[in-house]
Amino acid sequence: MNYPSSDFINLYVKDRISEEDANRQSKTVRAILERFNNQPGLILADEVGMGKTFVALAVAVSVYMNVKRPTVIMVPPNLIEKWRADFTLFRDACIGDQETRNQLYCSIAARPEELLNLLEESGERQSAIIFLKHGALSRKMGDGFIKLAIIQRAIFRRRNIDDIYLSIGKYAGELIEKKYIENRNKNIDIWRLLLDASPAKWKAILVKHQFCEPGDGEPVPKSFINELKKINSGELDNLFKHLVEKMPLRASTNTTQRLKDVRNFLNEEAVKIWKRCLVKIKLDLPLLIFDEAHHLKNSHTQLVTKLFHEPVAEEEAGMLSGQFDRMLFLTATPFQLGHHELLNVLKRFSTINWHSEYKISMTSSTYKEELEDLHKKLDMSLVFARRLDASWGNLTPRDLCINDQIYTDTMVWWNFIIANDTHMNFHVQKVISDYLTAREKLKSVEPILQKYVIRHLKPRMMLYSSKLVPRRIALPGNCILNGNRPDPLQSVGLEVTKEAMLSFLLAARLTTIQQDKRPVFAEGLASSFEAFRLTKEARIKRRQMVFIDVDDDDTGELEQVNDPVATWYLDQLDESLEHSLTSGSHHPKIKPTVDKAIDLWSKGEKVLIFCQ
């Protein structure tokens, strides 16, 4: 089964999206849908401001109109309302057919039970897109009706429970923290009515007795009810025993405390049962779109382990494992990640539903093998890129002189030596050799990356005050002071002021005597005085005790780590900072950065400062 066309969508929006951009975005939508036929997912990595949101919405709506199952878009909480507003604009401006527009609704889910209820809607109430907040599936279950369903299941078919049943019916409002419900109609014993009925019928009971409105969601998601029925009664024994031992059978002075104890225990047990059922629920959804996907780069984070974990056993699965036919990740910063982190993001695609009717040519094992191949090639590419970086760093201004002509523009010089077979010294020959090898290794990587990453860059020239100007200008060293374009033979670094001189001299000396350690001087120069201080604090923590493995029988000895020379320098450095930190502007980069930001801001420019 092929993925659908998006021909009914026109991404041109007057005064918002130009025709040129709309054409590019439409081609991207078609490319994504086409690639979904042959691969589990891909990353859309356009630069900021190039319309990833509208591309993603076009893909989501195209898929929904084909299968009539919602697309889930996971979004950071602070961007939820922006996405909802963009969806409304997209629907009204980009969908020309009124009948199609009338079928498109979006909803927001902040908790797992809200997501399940939305997925169970059908017909006119069904959402085309569900915006799910990052972290929503990691939140503790807090719905009282679900807790009541768990209590009902815990006492199901137990013997000699008449007294406990009456006590639960009397105090259920306090146990599940919904006492306000019973206050709506005190003539009806609502909790016993619910305990006597299947949770699937609770909505009808609540509506009949005016405890809720017909338009409200189900008290307990049907998918959870089905899984709760499958729970072995032995898994509920702890809760049942606690109810028997702790529920008050008659009013007394300690009734309030006993109910509090039962409520706390119920909350703990309910969370365990909820999680156990949640990972077993099969959502069977066509598409997951994950915004800000660089948050998935670290395998050990809670977001990744709870959502995308590949299990050894079914009960260990992440909540999203095997639930989606395809995945589309959005991020503007894929190549600011190290390639190991980029690979971690790509690995999340291995958790799709490989048995979906939307089958692809590759298998799960084939995909993993392809990632392993990509991993090896990226490693090799990095090795040779570092060799090129080292040989380039060995160039001197004298190497830019050819036939008695000095090339002040390194790009002109580079183009000349690549195009001309002329005499070159060893340094230049080494640079060219390393460049050609690095380029070859990088080209071996590109075919695989191009499959899984789509990235568009903004033009290097932009229209500003009726003329074309460079979009980006690098101002290294002291060029930030006057804004002049850098001359490779003339530009120098920022001056270290006399107030900051001692700190940097101490850091430089420490770096030279510990060449195998982190470059304290360079990090402090590029960052801040605080970087010096953090270096010392980290060293103190590491100094405590270090485990040294001495043989193969899992025994070892503890060795006190203490470098007196380094400690002396760090102490002197810390003391010098007591003077320097009184004025942060003494750091050579702070005042020029602040001055440049204020100058740009005063001219009406937006300013964003990235700190190392």
Side-chain angles (χ1 to χ4, degrees):
M1 185 182 297
N2 290 329
Y3 269 78
S5 166
S6 58
D7 293 341
F8 63 95
I9 298 173
N10 179 9
L11 290 173
Y12 169 65
V13 180
K14 187 177 180 181
D15 299 327
R16 171 84 180 237
I17 301 176
S18 68
E19 291 189 27
E20 181 182 0
D21 286 338
N23 288 334
R24 171 182 52 78
Q25 292 174 9
S26 297
K27 289 179 180 178
T28 304
V29 173
R30 289 193 292 271
I32 292 171
L33 293 172
E34 183 178 342
R35 293 188 196 187
F36 278 164
N37 290 312
N38 301 304
Q39 60 192 65
L42 58 89
I43 299 172
L44 178 59
D46 290 353
E47 281 192 308
V48 174
M50 298 198 73
K52 289 190 296 294
T53 299
F54 269 48
V55 171
L57 290 172
V59 171
V61 169
S62 298
V63 171
Y64 172 76
M65 293 303 297
N66 189 60
V67 300
K68 294 300 171 69
R69 289 286 286 155
T71 289
V72 173
I73 303 182
M74 293 196 71
V75 181
N78 61 316
L79 295 178
I80 281 280
E81 291 302 327
K82 176 187 179 299
W83 270 90
R84 175 152 61 177
D86 284 343
F87 171 79
T88 301
L89 175 62
F90 169 84
R91 180 189 61 192
D92 295 342
C94 300
I95 307 295
D97 180 59
Q98 182 65 46
E99 183 179 349
T100 302
R101 282 203 300 270
N102 292 340
Q103 300 178 51
L104 301 178
Y105 299 94
C106 71
S107 302
I108 292 176
R111 309 187 73 90
E113 54 267 35
E114 294 174 2
L115 173 64
L116 295 180
N117 272 328
L118 287 170
L119 292 176
E120 291 168 6
E121 298 286 3
S122 59
E124 294 181 354
R125 294 173 58 88
Q126 186 180 66
S127 300
I129 292 175
I130 298 173
F131 294 115
L132 181 65
K133 294 181 180 179
H134 283 192
L137 298 184
S138 301
R139 296 184 66 180
K140 289 185 177 180
M141 184 275 300
D143 190 276
F145 286 116
I146 293 177
K147 295 176 186 176
L148 186 64
I150 293 172
I151 291 175
Q152 184 194 58
R153 181 68 180 82
I155 64 175
F156 181 64
R157 290 185 177 176
R158 304 277 188 173
R159 296 180 179 179
N160 304 319
I161 62 166
D162 291 349
D163 291 341
I164 297 302
Y165 170 81
L166 292 174
S167 178
I168 292 172
K170 181 178 181 180
Y171 295 113
E174 295 180 57
L175 284 182
I176 67 174
E177 298 175 272
K178 281 188 177 291
K179 194 168 179 61
Y180 67 91
I181 294 286
E182 61 192 61
N183 293 333
R184 293 177 182 175
N185 190 345
K186 294 186 177 182
N187 296 321
I188 300 296
D189 193 349
I190 186 59
W191 303 123
R192 292 186 187 176
L193 284 177
L194 297 181
L195 287 170
D196 288 341
S198 165
K201 298 180 180 179
W202 286 3
K203 171 71 177 295
I205 295 172
L206 291 168
V207 171
K208 177 181 178 181
H209 297 287
Q210 300 180 345
F211 287 96
C212 76
E213 298 296 327
D216 293 344
E218 290 288 335
V220 184
K222 294 177 182 177
S223 53
F224 174 75
I225 297 172
N226 293 335
E227 293 302 327
L228 185 61
K229 290 177 181 178
K230 301 174 187 177
I231 288 285
N232 187 293
S233 60
E235 296 182 56
L236 297 161
D237 282 348
N238 287 340
L239 177 58
F240 175 70
K241 290 177 182 177
H242 200 83
L243 292 171
V244 170
E245 295 172 0
K246 299 295 183 179
M247 280 299 295
L249 302 182
R250 61 189 63 84
S252 66
T253 55
N254 65 348
T255 296
T256 300
Q257 183 58 46
R258 295 185 70 174
L259 288 174
K260 182 179 179 181
D261 292 342
V262 174
R263 184 167 59 246
N264 290 338
F265 190 84
L266 169 64
N267 289 341
E268 293 177 4
E269 291 298 305
V271 167
K272 295 176 185 177
I273 297 300
W274 167 254
K275 289 181 177 179
R276 180 68 182 270
C277 292
L278 200 60
V279 297
K280 290 179 174 290
I281 294 173
K282 300 304 179 185
L283 302 181
D284 189 25
L285 293 172
L287 178 63
L288 170 68
I289 297 176
F290 197 102
D291 192 23
E292 304 288 334
H294 48 272
H295 292 302
L296 303 177
K297 65 183 181 180
N298 296 318
S299 300
H300 62 275
T301 61
Q302 186 182 73
L303 183 65
V304 172
T305 55
K306 290 200 172 186
L307 300 185
F308 296 97
H309 175 60
E310 291 189 81
V312 175
E314 182 182 10
E315 59 270 18
E316 298 173 350
M319 296 176 192
L320 300 184
S321 294
Q323 304 284 25
F324 294 90
D325 295 344
R326 299 292 185 275
M327 295 182 183
L328 173 63
F329 290 170
L330 311 179
T331 177
T333 60
F335 301 109
Q336 277 77 8
L337 306 177
H339 74 260
H340 292 86
E341 294 174 333
L342 177 59
L343 283 163
N344 283 340
V345 174
L346 291 172
K347 286 178 182 177
R348 311 303 165 223
F349 296 148
S350 64
T351 60
I352 67 159
N353 176 14
W354 291 93
H355 304 291
S356 159
E357 61 177 308
Y358 283 92
K359 291 183 179 179
I360 54 180
S361 55
M362 69 169 59
T363 63
S364 174
S365 58
T366 304
Y367 179 64
K368 290 179 180 178
E369 289 171 4
E370 192 165 71
L371 288 189
E372 289 174 4
D373 182 45
L374 176 61
H375 193 165
K376 293 176 183 177
K377 289 180 177 178
L378 282 169
D379 281 347
M380 290 301 297
S381 178
L382 180 62
V383 168
F384 286 97
R386 286 178 173 169
R387 288 186 184 178
L388 172 59
D389 185 59
S391 59
W392 186 273
N394 289 330
L395 291 176
T396 66
R398 185 173 298 174
D399 295 321
L400 301 182
C401 180
I402 301 176
N403 298 330
D404 297 326
Q405 179 181 352
I406 296 178
Y407 285 79
T408 58
D409 189 322
T410 53
M411 286 304 300
V412 174
W413 169 80
W414 177 252
N415 291 332
F416 178 85
I417 65 170
I418 288 294
N420 294 274
D421 184 15
T422 184
H423 175 72
M424 294 172 286
N425 64 30
F426 171 78
H427 286 162
V428 177
Q429 290 177 359
K430 184 71 166 64
V431 166
I432 293 177
S433 173
D434 289 343
Y435 162 73
L436 293 174
T437 306
R439 185 178 65 173
E440 177 188 348
K441 298 299 180 182
L442 185 60
K443 282 188 175 295
S444 71
V445 171
E446 289 175 352
I448 307 179
L449 275 182
Q450 285 174 348
K451 282 179 61 177
Y452 295 105
V453 181
I454 293 178
R455 181 167 175 80
H456 295 100
L457 304 178
K458 291 181 178 178
R460 297 194 175 188
M461 303 297 289
M462 60 180 288
L463 192 63
Y464 182 78
S465 299
S466 302
K467 62 180 180 179
L468 286 175
V469 298
R471 185 177 294 277
R472 292 179 180 171
I473 301 175
L475 301 175
N478 67 353
C479 294
I480 193 176
L481 299 176
N482 50 36
N484 293 334
R485 296 292 293 273
D487 183 332
L489 298 181
Q490 301 296 327
S491 60
V492 296
L494 292 167
E495 180 184 358
V496 178
T497 62
K498 64 179 182 180
E499 294 87 352
M501 188 69 72
L502 178 58
S503 301
F504 282 104
L505 288 174
L506 289 166
R509 178 60 179 158
L510 178 58
T511 298
T512 59
I513 64 175
Q514 291 192 316
Q515 297 183 21
D516 59 331
K517 300 294 192 301
R518 296 180 66 179
V520 179
F521 171 72
E523 290 189 357
L525 189 64
S527 182
S528 64
F529 286 138
E530 284 77 4
F532 289 150
R533 178 157 280 172
L534 289 172
T535 299
K536 181 185 179 183
E537 292 172 356
R539 189 182 294 267
I540 289 174
K541 290 179 181 178
R542 291 196 301 271
R543 188 190 299 164
Q544 307 300 324
M545 295 298 249
V546 176
F547 185 82
I548 308 295
D549 194 13
V550 294
D551 51 35
D552 294 328
D553 62 358
D554 292 332
T555 61
E557 63 183 45
L558 292 175
E559 177 183 84
Q560 188 75 23
V561 177
N562 189 2
D563 184 341
V565 175
T567 299
W568 185 88
Y569 274 101
L570 286 169
D571 288 341
Q572 299 303 313
L573 180 57
D574 198 48
E575 185 175 338
S576 73
L577 294 181
E578 294 297 331
H579 306 290
S580 300
L581 284 173
T582 57
S583 175
S585 61
H586 285 167
H587 192 286
K589 80 168 189 180
I590 300 299
K591 189 175 187 303
T593 304
V594 172
D595 288 345
K596 175 60 72 174
I598 292 175
D599 176 58
L600 291 169
W601 176 78
S602 65
K603 295 176 180 177
E605 299 282 358
K606 294 180 181 178
V607 179
L608 180 61
I609 300 174
F610 286 96
C611 297
Q612 178 161 326

